[in-house]
């Protein structure tokens, strides 16, 4: 159920034999969002020769692409393959081409569109979305050292810390590690810790080197 996507719009470009290729990437979660993004890029580049696109959605396992006038199989499919090889989903990539007057040939087009898509992906912040729980931990100050020492071993992310009359931490813990963490926290605090599960959700764990 875990998935990899991008956090926000990003773009990059390059020139190949006078043709400019501009790659755009954007997070999308529905077919309508993907089409709206494609149409937005097309409207911004009405004078471009081609606006090739590909997108992949988690919902209903949808993947679509368009060569937009380029020879069949030389544009949209290579862009889609870049997304698949990187394991990206809920994303849409549009590659705009301003034709420079020099034909690239089939192989040249495949390489150019693949490269433009890769540049767009490289420009984006990649998110490793993992199924996790938001867990509230409350304990007295005497237990804080033991708790803070334990948490990194479970690849947790600390969302907030409140040092009031007691210590209250809100953390994200991967769903598959939740029960083991509960057990360890209860043991190291001799049962004095108060744990409140605030629900399951997807969050970005790209900054955490999980085992």
């Amino acid at each position: 159920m875990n998935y990899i996507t991008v956090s926000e719009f990003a773009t990059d470009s390059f020139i190949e034999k006078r043709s400019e290729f501009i790659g755009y990437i954007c997070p999308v979660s529905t077919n309508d969002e993907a089409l709206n993004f494609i149409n937005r890029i097309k409207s911004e580049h009405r004078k471009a020769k081609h606006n090739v696109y590909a997108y992949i959605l988690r919902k209903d396992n949808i993947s679509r692409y368009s060569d937009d006038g380029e020879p069949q199989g030389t544009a949209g499919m290579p862009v889609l393959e870049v997304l698949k090889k990187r394991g990206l989903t809920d994303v849409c990539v549009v590659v705009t081409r301003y034709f420079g007057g020099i034909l690239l040939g089939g192989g040249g087009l495949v390489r150019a569109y693949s490269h433009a898509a890769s540049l767009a992906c490289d420009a984006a912040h990649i998110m490793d979305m993992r199924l996790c729980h938001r867990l509230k931990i409350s304990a007295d100050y005497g237990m804080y050292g033991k708790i803070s020492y334990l948490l990194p071993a479970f690849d947790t992310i600390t969302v907030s810390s409140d040092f009031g009359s007691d210590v209250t931490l809100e953390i994200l813990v991967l769903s598959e590690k939740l029960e083991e963490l509960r057990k360890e926290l209860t043991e190291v605090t001799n049962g004095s810790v108060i744990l409140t599960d605030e629900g399951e959700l997807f969050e970005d764990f790209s900054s955490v080197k999980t085992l």
Side-chain angles (χ1 to χ4, degrees), residues 27-92:
V28 293
S29 57
T30 66
N31 198 66
D32 285 344
E33 287 181 6
L35 294 178
N36 287 339
F37 175 63
I38 293 163
N39 290 331
R40 189 188 106 197
I41 299 301
K42 285 184 174 182
S43 68
E44 292 175 359
H45 296 282
R46 296 184 186 277
K47 294 183 180 180
K49 187 73 173 178
H50 307 281
N51 285 288
V52 169
Y53 68 79
Y55 61 90
I56 299 176
L57 304 175
R58 281 188 304 141
K59 185 178 180 181
D60 299 324
N61 196 29
I62 292 173
S63 61
R64 295 199 171 103
Y65 67 91
S66 169
D67 294 313
D68 194 34
E70 294 283 27
Q72 185 176 356
T74 63
M77 180 57 78
V79 172
L80 183 64
E81 284 301 309
V82 169
L83 299 182
K84 287 182 176 180
K85 287 178 180 177
R86 296 193 178 217
L88 292 170
T89 191
D90 280 357
V91 294
C92 179

Side-chain angles (χ1 to χ4, degrees), residues 2-190:
N2 301 326
Y3 66 100
I4 301 172
T5 190
V6 299
S7 62
E8 58 190 7
F9 171 87
T11 182
D12 202 352
S13 64
F14 76 103
I15 295 175
E16 178 69 19
K17 294 183 179 178
R18 298 183 185 174
S19 282
E20 183 180 16
F21 291 84
I22 311 169
Y24 301 94
I25 191 168
C26 186
V28 293
S29 57
T30 66
N31 198 66
D32 285 344
E33 287 181 6
L35 294 178
N36 287 339
F37 175 63
I38 293 163
N39 290 331
R40 189 188 106 197
I41 299 301
K42 285 184 174 182
S43 68
E44 292 175 359
H45 296 282
R46 296 184 186 277
K47 294 183 180 180
K49 187 73 173 178
H50 307 281
N51 285 288
V52 169
Y53 68 79
Y55 61 90
I56 299 176
L57 304 175
R58 281 188 304 141
K59 185 178 180 181
D60 299 324
N61 196 29
I62 292 173
S63 61
R64 295 199 171 103
Y65 67 91
S66 169
D67 294 313
D68 194 34
E70 294 283 27
Q72 185 176 356
T74 63
M77 180 57 78
V79 172
L80 183 64
E81 284 301 309
V82 169
L83 299 182
K84 287 182 176 180
K85 287 178 180 177
R86 296 193 178 217
L88 292 170
T89 191
D90 280 357
V91 294
C92 179
V93 167
V94 180
V95 178
T96 298
R97 181 190 183 188
Y98 283 92
F99 183 53
I102 300 175
L103 297 176
L104 300 182
L109 287 173
V110 170
R111 288 189 294 273
Y113 279 104
S114 297
H115 185 52
S118 293
L119 287 177
C121 293
D122 291 341
H125 170 65
I126 305 299
M127 298 196 300
D128 182 10
M129 303 299 290
R130 308 288 294 273
L131 196 59
C132 63
H133 282 253
R134 192 179 181 110
L135 187 67
K136 181 184 285 187
I137 303 169
S138 297
D140 62 48
Y141 279 86
M143 296 297 170
Y144 175 65
K146 293 181 178 180
I147 293 171
S148 61
Y149 179 79
L150 179 65
L151 293 182
F154 287 86
D155 305 313
T156 61
I157 295 175
T158 300
V159 177
S160 67
S161 305
D162 182 10
F163 297 92
S165 56
D166 289 320
V167 177
T168 301
L169 305 175
E170 281 193 320
I171 67 166
L172 299 174
V173 56
L174 295 173
S175 295
E176 63 267 26
K177 297 184 178 184
L178 174 64
E179 290 309 315
E180 187 180 356
L181 178 60
R182 281 182 184 274
K183 179 181 177 182
E184 291 291 331
L185 285 171
T186 301
E187 287 184 2
V188 300
T189 63
N190 298 317

